[in-house]
Amino acid sequence: METTDMEKREEKSLNFLERIIEDDLANGRVPNNTIVTRFPPEPNGYLHLGHVKSICLNFGLAEKYGGRCHLRLDDTNPEKEDMEYIESIQRDIKWLGFDWGDYLYHASDYYDQLYKIAVNLIKEGKAYVDSLTPEQVREYRGTLTSPGRNSPDRDRPVEENLRLFEEMREGKHPEGKYVLRAKLDMASPNLNMRDPSLYRIKFASHPRTGDKWCIYPMYDYTHPISDAIEGITHSICTLEFEDHRPAYDWATSIDGIEHTPHQYEFARLNINYMLMSKRKLLNLVKLGIVTGWDDPRMPTITGIRRRGYSPESLRDFVSRVGVAKVESVVDYNLLEFCAREDLNKRALRYMAVINPLKVVITNYPEDKEEWFDAQDNPEDPQSGTHPVPFSRELYIEQEDFMEEPIKGYHRLYPGNEIRLKHSYYITCNEVIKDAEGSIVEVHVTYDPESRGGTTPDGRKVRGTSHWVSAKHGIDAEIRLYDKLFSTEYPGEATGNYLDDINPESLVVLKHCKLEPALKDAKPGQYLQFMRTGYFVADSVDHTSENPVFNRTVTLKDSWSKKAKKQK
Ligand code: ATP
Ligand code: MG
């Protein structure tokens, strides 16, 4: 009884792909009992969060079942593809923590084989060279409700097809003049089966094969055959390829192809307030709306890394989202929640004042300084401490002072006492203003007996402020990032996502004051600036002379509150 329950629970916790794989393994349907998956990006842009899901899934399944996962660059559109993208893809996958080992492939590795297979198809009367124009091809294809018509070239003799295909390869015909098509079924209810194109003419230099080819194979022909050649067992893709599965099965059953992989589809990752399409992301880059693919507001792996997310938090995010067969939209807050969960454990705590207000402690000696020990991370008992300097002149946040406090305000105001983190209690006595009446500085006195945050009389204060010693602190630029789009579904209202760019997605603050230990911060070190958020030194612009920090995410967590409320 108990075991059955256990088994049931276990089965329930498997996603549908894991169930398929376990079933295939248990029934001897997997050659050599070795699962082989692949991640097949087209190198026409940088990888984004949607790809993170696919990477974690493909590499994760291979890892879980002791198989392997290939990285295959699906490079069949030479005009849009670039070495920069090929390199970024590899860098990003490794950063996420996955490794394809010796199994790096390119669809272009198979161009010779694909060509030979096409020639064989022609010889067997299963493919023909078509001279219909692209418009005519569309017209002849028919619609979802009406069958297509055969092209007049469909019965072109084999010899002529062979000659024309050879001439296409030799560059004797201009782009668009001919395509090679499979002879399948123009009346098929599936449009992808109505004589799909296998090859088109394209006079474009390829990032890897250069000018060797001027005909390039189509996706529906290349992808399944590449899977077969590599011995892929489970070819996992997103739902939009479901309609292509019959074409996939046709291509993998062509005579002479020995291994038969199978295609499985899952729901793509969508996140509100974000765009998840390389084409649209490229457009943002081209239009200069962002500074590049690595702009910290981009949903690209490189952007998110620069923003300060860890690979662990992205993997956690993807695993919380899960794998399903139904499309859904994931809440952006879940992504930030995962960042906070992870950064809370690992980020080192520092004090930084982003909107500085000068505070002078009138009863603190001018030339005196003290160094307090600040714990690097209170969440981590193993963590050490670092010294923080204290002196007569400090900066606190402007928002931590109000000349005329509103009701419920417990921070600094004339006559009120607060605690300065790690150090002393101070009381505000005087507000100094300039000729225009703007506050220049605030004068306070400190209680020498409150060192370390308690007093002999045990009196309590309600506010605690972070601070930076004016004499010791360093100046820095801080970049506060927010969502790139201000609406949940960019472009929904007007049809143009550019209408929904959030004008406040980046706020740059100069002359922020940071405690001096941050002088040595390096990109890749996860930081928390107390009370303001998680930060990271910018991997592009930060130097120790001109420090620049990016806010990864605020400390406030609206996701878990929302989740609790819903419960
Ligand atoms: P885009 O539309 O952004 O260009 P794509 O699907 O064209 O994406 P590919 O480079 O062809 O990008 O994708 C590589 C793999 O990543 C494919 O298997 C694809 O199914 C998967 N993938 C792409 N976008 C997502 C997504 N949003 N969620 C999950 N997987 C995705
Ligand atoms: Mg694509």
Side-chain angles (χ1 to χ4, degrees):
M1 209 40 196
E2 249 177 42
T3 353
T4 343
D5 274 358
M6 280 262 285
E7 275 168 9
K8 256 191 203 149
R9 255 203 308 280
E10 209 152 81
E11 201 171 300
K12 230 179 146 192
S13 69
L14 294 179
N15 66 45
F16 79 96
L17 291 167
E18 291 167 333
R19 254 176 287 152
I20 289 170
I21 289 175
E22 293 197 2
D23 193 52
D24 286 348
L25 284 169
N27 291 291
R29 283 194 292 262
V30 182
N32 308 316
N33 252 20
T34 304
I35 294 299
V36 187
T37 58
R38 86 285 171 266
F39 174 62
E42 184 183 353
N44 60 348
Y46 281 67
L47 299 180
H48 53 59
L49 283 167
H51 297 115
V52 173
K53 178 168 181 177
S54 179
I55 293 167
C56 290
L57 190 55
N58 280 298
F59 282 93
L61 286 170
E63 219 166 81
K64 176 164 180 181
Y65 295 105
R68 59 177 201 261
C69 180
H70 298 185
L71 170 59
R72 184 193 318 135
L73 295 148
D74 200 345
D75 52 354
T76 51
N77 280 312
E79 294 148 312
K80 293 186 184 156
E81 295 161 5
D82 201 283
M83 279 313 284
E84 177 195 349
Y85 299 141
I86 294 181
E87 283 158 17
S88 77
I89 287 168
Q90 300 188 35
R91 196 166 54 235
D92 289 348
I93 297 172
K94 289 210 165 137
W95 177 77
L96 268 179
F98 296 106
D99 192 355
W100 50 89
D102 295 331
Y103 303 99
L104 171 64
Y105 301 98
H106 303 78
S108 54
D109 296 340
Y110 311 128
Y111 280 177
D112 286 318
Q113 272 163 286
L114 289 163
Y115 181 78
K116 273 191 207 132
I117 293 168
V119 170
N120 275 335
L121 285 172
I122 297 174
K123 285 182 182 160
E124 291 171 3
K126 293 175 180 164
Y128 61 99
V129 172
D130 197 356
S131 60
L132 290 183
T133 64
E135 295 77 52
Q136 287 171 319
V137 167
R138 224 169 295 135
E139 192 202 313
Y140 274 73
R141 188 181 292 130
T143 65
L144 283 171
T145 48
S146 63
R149 281 178 296 145
N150 287 351
S151 163
D153 289 345
R154 205 172 195 256
D155 296 317
R156 198 192 286 282
V158 167
E159 288 313 313
E160 202 178 312
N161 282 323
L162 283 173
R163 177 177 56 79
L164 286 175
F165 189 48
E166 177 69 12
E167 287 174 10
M168 283 166 65
R169 187 181 67 82
E170 287 169 349
K172 292 194 173 145
H173 300 290
E175 285 185 15
K177 177 143 187 227
Y178 293 117
V179 289
L180 182 72
R181 297 179 72 177
K183 203 184 279 188
L184 300 186
D185 177 7
M186 289 308 289
S188 168
N190 186 321
L191 293 174
N192 296 312
M193 295 299 276
R194 296 184 186 170
D195 290 9
S197 294
L198 305 180
Y199 271 91
R200 75 256 195 241
I201 300 169
K202 202 154 258 188
F203 289 94
S205 256
H206 186 280
R208 294 187 75 247
T209 58
D211 295 322
K212 177 173 174 194
W213 297 91
C214 60
I215 53 171
Y216 289 97
M218 305 297 289
Y219 177 89
D220 270 351
Y221 175 67
T222 312
H223 193 79
I225 295 178
S226 304
D227 278 352
I229 292 171
E230 289 175 25
I232 303 298
T233 58
H234 295 78
S235 179
I236 299 163
C237 61
T238 35
L239 279 174
E240 65 268 27
F241 291 102
E242 201 168 6
D243 287 347
H244 295 249
R245 192 172 350 121
Y248 186 97
D249 291 339
W250 166 77
T252 52
S253 60
I254 292 173
D255 283 350
I257 292 179
E258 276 161 24
H259 170 77
T260 308
H262 291 280
Q263 174 182 304
Y264 302 94
E265 307 89 16
F266 70 100
R268 60 187 286 117
L269 175 66
N270 303 300
I271 304 174
N272 58 6
Y273 298 98
M274 283 187 160
L275 289 181
M276 219 70 83
S277 143
K278 281 179 285 188
R279 189 174 50 80
K280 292 179 184 168
L281 297 177
L282 174 62
N283 202 33
L284 296 175
V285 173
K286 279 191 179 155
L287 292 173
I289 289 167
V290 293
T291 56
W293 287 98
D294 66 347
D295 187 302
R297 292 165 294 182
M298 290 281 267
T300 51
I301 298 179
T302 177
I304 283 202
R305 169 169 66 227
R306 187 172 167 195
R307 175 93 168 242
Y309 278 72
S310 68
E312 289 80 1
S313 64
L314 296 188
R315 294 211 302 265
D316 177 40
F317 170 68
V318 161
S319 87
R320 284 172 194 263
V321 168
V323 182
K325 272 200 88 82
V326 187
E327 291 266 347
S328 65
V329 179
V330 175
D331 196 326
Y332 183 94
N333 286 311
L334 177 61
L335 184 64
E336 295 205 326
F337 171 82
C338 293
R340 288 188 190 101
E341 282 278 294
D342 174 65
L343 292 170
N344 183 42
K345 280 180 258 155
R346 68 205 300 170
L348 303 181
R349 270 63 168 173
Y350 291 96
M351 292 196 289
V353 175
I354 62 174
N355 290 303
L357 170 67
K358 175 113 43 78
V359 169
V360 180
I361 308 171
T362 52
N363 62 339
Y364 195 89
E366 293 216 12
D367 47 2
K368 184 174 170 177
E369 64 180 51
E370 287 174 82
W371 292 75
F372 292 95
D373 280 334
Q375 201 179 345
D376 291 331
N377 184 359
E379 294 291 317
D380 174 8
Q382 309 286 316
S383 77
T385 62
H386 65 274
V388 188
F390 184 89
S391 65
R392 177 182 159 93
E393 298 195 353
L394 312 168
Y395 293 105
I396 64 167
E397 296 289 351
Q398 284 170 19
E399 63 168 35
D400 282 348
F401 175 78
M402 268 189 138
E403 192 177 10
E404 286 166 32
I406 51 170
K407 194 159 173 278
Y409 189 80
H410 300 301
R411 303 178 214 173
L412 198 62
Y413 55 85
N416 193 38
E417 185 173 51
I418 62 159
R419 176 192 289 111
L420 290 178
K421 185 77 190 172
H422 303 310
S423 54
Y424 292 108
Y425 285 13
I426 56 167
T427 304
C428 174
N429 303 311
E430 200 184 350
V431 183
I432 312 293
K433 297 182 181 175
D434 62 16
E436 274 89 57
S438 307
I439 298 173
V440 182
E441 57 187 46
V442 170
H443 287 189
V444 303
T445 47
Y446 84 117
D447 176 358
E449 296 211 301
S450 64
R451 195 176 202 279
T454 52
T455 57
D457 65 2
R459 73 181 185 280
K460 296 267 178 283
V461 292
R462 305 206 36 195
T464 300
S465 285
H466 59 274
W467 49 273
V468 168
S469 165
K471 174 160 80 183
H472 303 88
I474 56 169
D475 257 42
E477 176 179 321
I478 285 187
R479 298 174 182 170
L480 302 178
Y481 292 102
D482 198 353
K483 301 182 181 83
L484 184 55
F485 293 97
S486 49
T487 55
E488 254 194 285
Y489 305 104
E492 193 187 35
T494 65
N496 183 358
Y497 53 88
L498 297 177
D499 293 335
D500 293 328
I501 299 282
N502 173 9
E504 274 145 36
S505 62
L506 170 59
V507 174
V508 178
L509 300 169
K510 308 266 184 185
H511 307 297
C512 304
K513 306 292 179 185
L514 274 49
E515 63 169 279
L518 286 166
K519 198 170 60 230
D520 303 320
K522 303 266 181 304
Q525 280 178 345
Y526 302 103
L527 310 170
Q528 185 192 107
F529 293 172
M530 281 172 44
R531 299 171 67 222
T532 43
Y534 293 101
F535 287 81
V536 71
D538 186 62
S539 55
V540 176
D541 298 324
H542 172 86
T543 63
S544 49
E545 291 75 43
N546 287 304
V548 180
F549 291 88
N550 300 327
R551 185 168 67 195
T552 311
V553 63
T554 57
L555 297 179
K556 197 180 91 222
D557 169 6
S558 49
W559 168 260
S560 62
K561 263 190 233 145
K562 209 163 136 186
K564 250 186 222 152
K565 233 193 215 164
Q566 274 168 5
K567 260 190 193 167

